[in-house]
Amino acid sequence: MGLAFQNDLHDEFGTRPVAYLPYGGADLGEILAVGRAVGDGDDTAFFQAWMAAGDRLAAEALDAERRNLRASARELHLRASAFYSTAYRPLYGAPTDARLLAAFRKQMAAFDRGLALSRHPVEPLRIPLAGGHMPAYLLPAEGRETEVRPLVIFTNGYDATVTDMYFACAVAATRRGYHALVFDGPGQGGMLYEQGVPMRPDWEMVVGAVVDLAVESPIVDPKRIALSGWSLGGHLAPRAASGEHRLAACIADPGQWSIAGLFRPLAVKLGASPDAAANLGELEPPVLDRLWQFVMANPVLAWKIVQRGFWVHGVDNLRDYLRAIEQFTMDGRVDGIACPTLMTVAGNDPLAADTELFYDRLRCPKHLLRFSADEGAGDHCESANRSLLNRRVLDWLDGVL
């Protein structure tokens, strides 16, 4: 039994909106209520309970609009988008589940409607990129919407979307006086769900296209553009900073040298030699078979690797997945990072296992932030105390920019 859901995977998905509590994405009572509605139900029950809650919020938003309660309508539409985005996590995988697409479209319709009701309405943007376009939103600083201000670009990880970044990151930045830009890149959100574009390792090209758009905005100071990545974005952001030198700062929450590095100790434990584990895509068949059995015996790993990983990387088997993730590495690139860089380490976050080694190899101005369970911030991306993370990161950024 987890915090709010009986199933471990459901609890991992269903408690993500805890990170959004300070920023209007949910309240704890709402999350607990959805957990009770799911009970010991399956993935369909999880999906239906979150969708029902999202539909209730969306209906309340429309009623508030009819009554000319603009502020409430905005808040309710945005909150509904967070509920819809939580509903479909268990449905990840190729071919794309029709229910996932229906929920995602409701999510983005609610998100767009909420932002359109802002005092300074925000419209969706499309950033051209080979193979499609990246959905994006430029969110102005609160109370300083028309001023030239520094910008923080937020880049996502494996399975969050612009809605998640909005609540977890962007609201805090705009309250602090920064403009914020959120986007779905290849293998993420709308680019994956609607366009079928898989993830790519050269994130400097992805972020370069985003910066191209940003510098054209009359409210963005082109000399003060920061890039912040959370979860897998803690690898993608430094990778981007190694090649996109218009960035004035980089934040990695947590910093990650590679994706494949997390798997190498397991491959050795399952019988691979250290030399063989250095290239996971070429593991011998017996070791690969044992790794497959290990993954499929664990529902959480099966979701993360098979349902999510295969889909995001556009592959359909474990060997090709391992070959794909071997490309996501800072080998040969770390010296390209010149801008001031902040990395985080949460004490219980498995993705932070190599952050300190990565940090030690940086040759740019740098700073390391540690978070602990005693602060309620020891888990992945400090999700149970996201306001603490945002406060400390933005304090550092204030000093840099």
Side-chain angles (χ1 to χ4, degrees):
M1 180 69 184
L3 175 67
F5 296 82
Q6 296 182 28
N7 176 292
D8 287 343
L9 194 54
H10 289 174
D11 200 61
E12 181 172 329
F13 299 142
T15 57
R16 286 188 185 185
V18 168
Y20 315 155
L21 265 61
Y23 308 109
D27 273 306
L28 182 58
E30 294 174 310
I31 297 169
L32 296 175
V34 175
R36 289 192 296 271
V38 176
D40 61 358
D42 60 8
D43 291 347
T44 296
F46 181 92
F47 173 79
Q48 291 174 342
W50 279 103
M51 291 300 292
D55 287 344
R56 173 180 55 78
L57 291 167
E60 290 179 18
L62 293 174
D63 181 63
E65 284 195 65
R66 285 191 291 268
R67 297 163 60 196
N68 201 32
L69 302 173
R70 188 181 181 96
S72 289
R74 177 184 185 276
E75 177 184 325
L76 287 161
H77 279 303
L78 291 172
R79 187 172 294 214
S81 73
F83 279 55
Y84 291 137
S85 74
T86 305
Y88 55 75
R89 293 285 188 259
L91 307 181
Y92 252 50
T96 309
D97 192 303
R99 294 171 296 172
L100 184 151
L101 280 177
F104 177 69
R105 289 165 184 166
K106 280 191 170 186
Q107 168 192 338
M108 298 315 301
F111 191 62
D112 288 349
R113 186 59 188 158
L115 293 180
L117 291 170
S118 302
R119 186 175 65 172
H120 288 259
V122 174
E123 297 183 354
L125 303 170
R126 293 160 62 104
I127 303 175
L129 190 73
H133 67 270
M134 296 185 284
Y137 297 82
L138 178 57
L139 308 156
E142 288 188 13
R144 311 181 76 169
E145 288 87 352
T146 61
E147 296 180 24
V148 177
R149 301 291 302 159
L151 171 74
V152 185
I153 297 170
F154 291 100
T155 193
N156 241 321
Y158 249 129
D159 58 83
T161 67
V162 288
T163 298
D164 303 289
M165 274 191 297
Y166 172 82
F167 287 112
C169 310
V171 173
T174 60
R175 289 177 179 175
R176 184 64 75 94
Y178 292 92
H179 300 319
L181 194 155
V182 296
F183 71 98
D184 284 335
Q188 301 172 330
M191 274 208 99
L192 177 66
Y193 308 163
E194 298 278 18
Q195 302 172 55
V197 179
M199 187 167 279
R200 51 192 281 185
D202 57 342
W203 218 248
E204 66 277 7
M205 301 302 295
V206 174
V207 169
V210 179
V211 174
D212 287 344
L213 173 95
V215 297
E216 294 299 319
S217 171
I219 64 171
V220 171
D221 182 346
K223 300 298 184 183
R224 293 189 292 169
I225 297 176
L227 175 66
S228 179
W230 69 325
S231 196
L232 180 59
H235 167 76
L236 300 175
R239 168 66 196 245
S242 73
E244 174 46 75
H245 297 298
R246 289 174 290 180
L247 297 173
C250 177
I251 299 153
D253 175 32
Q256 296 159 69
W257 186 269
S258 70
I259 300 179
L262 297 170
F263 290 87
R264 299 196 204 286
L266 177 59
V268 171
K269 186 176 180 180
L270 294 175
S273 68
D275 287 344
N279 186 352
L280 296 177
E282 304 308 319
L283 288 175
E284 294 183 354
V287 177
L288 191 69
D289 290 343
R290 286 192 288 273
L291 179 57
W292 176 252
Q293 292 167 12
F294 181 86
V295 168
M296 296 308 293
N298 184 316
V300 174
L301 274 181
W303 182 87
K304 289 182 176 180
I305 294 173
V306 181
Q307 288 184 243
R308 182 185 67 178
F310 285 14
W311 190 28
V312 167
H313 291 284
V315 301
D316 61 6
N317 63 82
L318 184 59
R319 187 176 297 282
D320 284 346
Y321 169 74
L322 295 172
R323 286 171 174 160
I325 65 173
E326 282 285 7
Q327 301 175 60
F328 289 76
T329 177
M330 290 300 298
D331 289 351
R333 302 199 61 89
V334 66
D335 289 344
I337 303 175
C339 64
T341 296
L342 170 70
M343 291 188 173
T344 69
V345 175
N348 300 326
D349 187 352
L351 295 192
D354 65 354
T355 298
E356 293 185 59
L357 294 174
F358 188 174
Y359 179 81
D360 288 343
R361 296 180 69 175
L362 291 172
R363 296 295 174 260
C364 56
K366 59 186 179 179
H367 188 67
L368 187 70
L369 283 177
R370 299 181 186 277
F371 296 89
S372 69
D374 290 342
E375 302 167 303
D379 293 323
H380 182 50
C381 290
E382 305 79 27
S383 59
N385 193 350
R386 192 69 188 172
S387 61
L388 175 65
L389 175 283
N390 286 325
R391 184 165 58 251
R392 291 181 179 172
V393 166
L394 292 169
D395 285 346
W396 174 82
L397 196 59
D398 286 348
V400 171
L401 299 185

